[in-house]
Amino acid sequence: MEGALASVGLRETIMKDMQGAVRLSVAFVGLSGGLLQAAARLGPAPATAIAQAASGDLGYVVRWCDAAYAFGLLDEEAGGFVLTDLGRAFLPDAPGTLMPFAVQEVLTAHVAERAAGLMKTGERPGESILAERATILPWFGPMLEAQFGPIFEKTIMPALSVYKQAAERGGFVIDLGCGNGWYLMRLARAYPHLRCLGIDGFEENIRQGQSRAAAAGLADRVRFAKGDIYGFESPEPADIIALNRALHHVWDEKETVFRILHDHLKPGGAAVIWEPHWPADRAALREPGRRMVAFQNLTEHVQGNHFLRPSEIAEAFQVAGLTPEVYDFLEGREAVVVGTRP
């Protein structure tokens, strides 16, 4: 009897988990299709109006509205649909937006399916898997920005003197693997004398970065170009070279990577590496704040990567002739390692 009761309890727990995942899937469909955004602009409106405003197929939109209503993202009002507080919280510009959770859930499902198929072959397709779903890639940069932009601006940037020192010299910053440019945009706003170059391998990210810099009036100081760490062109030696949650993508070639960092820095310049802090003790992975990083490490393996310990990064800096300093943030879940060229 006790076993049967435990089984019922487990099923109820998993059912709640499943419904939460489906709610995030419904939110992602609404975001990707512009349906949540259209509903926010229109106020109470029928599905036909939402479909027209979002340039969506009416049949799909009608059924999405039913699903969004079922999961509490939409409510009925004045003969139409209106966003609930929960639905509004998924809008990309909502304070503390829930958008990253919806994007990450769909990306997680995609990579989980790929990992399941590759488990026996050992194949590791690389970063190309991020572009396998056309609806996901445009949201990848905004997802990272919403997750990590506030941490950088409020916690990391004030704690590291390297940014202020570079700004006082009218310095030049390179962000390798820049995504949609969120890191450089925040630096440029905080330090008006900095000049910035973002390098990324995805055209979508370059397009988003250029568009956002122009809209913010920063295009004269924040530029973007397609490339990678092995072949980027720099107009001058850099005061700062940043890799934000990107070093693990090129760790297999770390000797080459750290030589490139060293050679592209001015004397006194610094490489600033931000990575998830992979714990030395496996038991730490069961902490609620670290659980996701354990699964993400599986997804990184699909891409040919794995997460790192800060001590590994510091050692690589030393081998390359750079002086390392390790900073821990968010109760040790995130690490920034600064390597300064003498």
Side-chain angles (χ1 to χ4, degrees):
M1 185 64 179
E2 289 182 3
L5 290 175
S7 177
V8 170
L10 289 173
R11 287 178 62 84
E12 289 177 349
T13 297
I14 295 303
M15 281 292 292
K16 289 179 181 178
D17 289 347
M18 186 185 75
Q19 291 201 7
V22 174
R23 178 180 286 110
L24 292 173
S25 294
V26 173
F28 178 81
V29 174
L31 284 166
S32 180
L35 307 176
L36 286 172
Q37 299 90 320
R41 294 194 304 270
L42 294 172
T48 51
I50 295 174
Q52 184 176 10
S55 300
D57 174 80
L58 181 58
Y60 275 99
V61 174
V62 166
R63 285 150 186 84
W64 176 82
C65 287
D66 286 340
Y69 174 83
F71 281 92
L73 305 181
L74 293 179
D75 216 337
E76 284 188 302
E77 184 179 310
F81 291 105
V82 63
L83 287 180
T84 63
D85 289 343
L86 177 61
R88 194 169 295 278
F90 281 100
L91 294 171
D93 58 353
T97 177
L98 301 181
M99 173 268 291
F101 298 104
V103 178
Q104 194 166 46
E105 190 278 328
V106 174
L107 178 60
T108 293
H110 167 57
V111 181
E113 189 276 333
R114 295 290 273 124
L118 299 168
M119 192 63 64
K120 294 187 183 298
T121 69
E123 181 187 355
R124 302 169 75 185
E127 292 182 26
S128 62
I129 66 164
L130 298 177
E132 288 177 345
R133 296 292 180 266
T135 57
I136 295 176
L137 184 58
W139 289 97
F140 192 75
M143 175 188 73
L144 294 179
E145 178 172 14
Q147 284 180 306
F148 302 113
I151 298 169
F152 174 63
E153 193 165 12
K154 297 176 182 177
T155 305
I156 295 176
M157 194 193 307
L160 301 186
S161 60
V162 65
Y163 302 118
K164 183 179 179 181
Q165 292 168 0
E168 289 172 347
R169 298 191 296 267
F172 178 53
V173 180
I174 300 173
D175 185 6
L176 296 172
C178 65
N180 70 350
W182 61 267
Y183 178 90
L184 293 181
M185 297 279 286
R186 281 168 164 78
L187 272 181
R189 283 196 295 262
Y191 299 105
H193 298 296
L194 285 178
R195 295 164 293 117
C196 306
L197 173 64
I199 305 290
D200 201 274
F202 289 113
E203 291 281 5
E204 173 65 23
N205 288 336
I206 298 301
R207 184 194 66 76
Q208 287 188 19
Q210 290 173 334
S211 176
R212 297 174 75 243
L218 295 172
D220 60 330
R221 292 194 293 117
V222 183
R223 299 183 297 107
F224 296 89
K226 187 176 180 181
D228 60 35
I229 193 169
Y230 303 110
F232 70 94
E233 295 184 6
S234 175
E236 62 182 276
D239 294 86
I240 294 174
I241 301 178
L243 285 92
N244 296 303
R245 308 174 79 81
L247 177 64
H248 59 274
H249 288 264
V250 293
W251 186 252
D252 287 349
E253 300 289 336
K254 59 180 179 292
E255 291 82 6
T256 300
V257 167
F258 280 83
R259 175 182 54 78
I260 291 171
L261 294 177
H262 176 279
D263 292 350
H264 281 77
L265 286 170
K266 296 176 183 177
V272 182
I273 310 295
W274 179 2
E275 284 285 312
H277 185 156
W278 186 255
D281 181 3
R282 180 180 287 113
L285 293 173
R286 286 192 169 178
E287 297 172 7
R290 292 187 189 266
R291 287 174 182 164
M292 284 300 295
V293 79
F295 179 80
Q296 288 167 5
N297 200 40
L298 171 60
T299 71
E300 291 296 337
H301 187 77
V302 176
Q303 298 175 62
N305 319 314
H306 66 276
F307 285 148
L308 308 166
R309 297 188 179 101
S311 59
E312 296 177 273
I313 302 170
E315 181 180 349
F317 271 138
Q318 289 176 326
V319 170
L322 300 166
T323 304
E325 293 180 272
V326 177
Y327 300 84
D328 276 328
F329 297 96
L330 297 188
E331 299 178 335
R333 297 193 301 274
E334 303 287 330
V336 177
V337 187
V338 178
T340 303
R341 177 174 176 175

